[in-house]
Amino acid sequence: MGNPQYIQDAVDGFESLYGEELTRQQRANLVEACEYGEVSLGVDADLATDALMVWGDYTGDMESALDNVEELKTLLLNFNGEVNDLDEYLAGKYLEKIGITDEALGSYVALFTDFEKYQRHLEYEGWRFAPLLDGTTFFVFSA
């Protein structure tokens, strides 16, 4: 693809926030993953590197992911986006799962739903809700 400058800039930003200089192979892996995210998944390179950084903070093991381009691609494939209101996101996912599309009925059902329990259920299935360090935004990764 030719490594467009904005992907290089996103990788530079990642490296700056990561706090360590990436090896040549790690850098190549991150560039390839960002290109994959951009072309195949429609994920902006800046958002991709943000998601990967938050994942690394959440798991405490960014280095092993950086060493494996397929793992980086899988993380991006499983990335469902960022959300500011996790409860609202979980409510939408739950109502979607049980097939309720009527907004009024959905609001009623939401009154009686324990979304923390639903979150634990999704986490048990492999979903991850990785927060920014300030807790204002969650990056959602599905199983």
Side-chain angles (χ1 to χ4, degrees), residues 15-32:
E15 186 175 46
S16 178
L17 288 174
Y18 185 56
E20 293 181 32
E21 188 174 332
L22 300 176
T23 67
R24 181 175 286 138
Q25 186 60 53
Q26 288 174 331
R27 187 173 189 77
N29 290 347
L30 190 53
V31 166
E32 185 178 334

Side-chain angles (χ1 to χ4, degrees), residues 113-133:
T113 304
D114 182 348
F115 293 110
E116 287 181 15
K117 188 175 182 179
Y118 184 60
Q119 179 181 348
R120 285 192 304 275
H121 167 75
L122 289 175
E123 288 171 341
Y124 180 76
E125 290 183 348
W127 286 66
R128 297 295 175 253
F129 304 93
L132 281 176
L133 293 178

Side-chain angles (χ1 to χ4, degrees), residues 7-69:
I7 289 180
Q8 293 297 330
D9 292 344
V11 170
D12 289 344
F14 177 94
E15 186 175 46
S16 178
L17 288 174
Y18 185 56
E20 293 181 32
E21 188 174 332
L22 300 176
T23 67
R24 181 175 286 138
Q25 186 60 53
Q26 288 174 331
R27 187 173 189 77
N29 290 347
L30 190 53
V31 166
E32 185 178 334
C34 286
E35 286 178 343
Y36 168 76
E38 185 91 21
V39 173
S40 299
L41 306 174
V43 177
D44 175 76
D46 286 325
L47 181 57
T49 55
D50 288 349
L52 293 172
M53 180 62 68
V54 169
W55 177 263
D57 288 342
Y58 178 74
T59 63
D61 190 21
M62 189 73 247
E63 191 164 337
S64 67
L66 287 169
D67 289 337
N68 184 333
V69 70

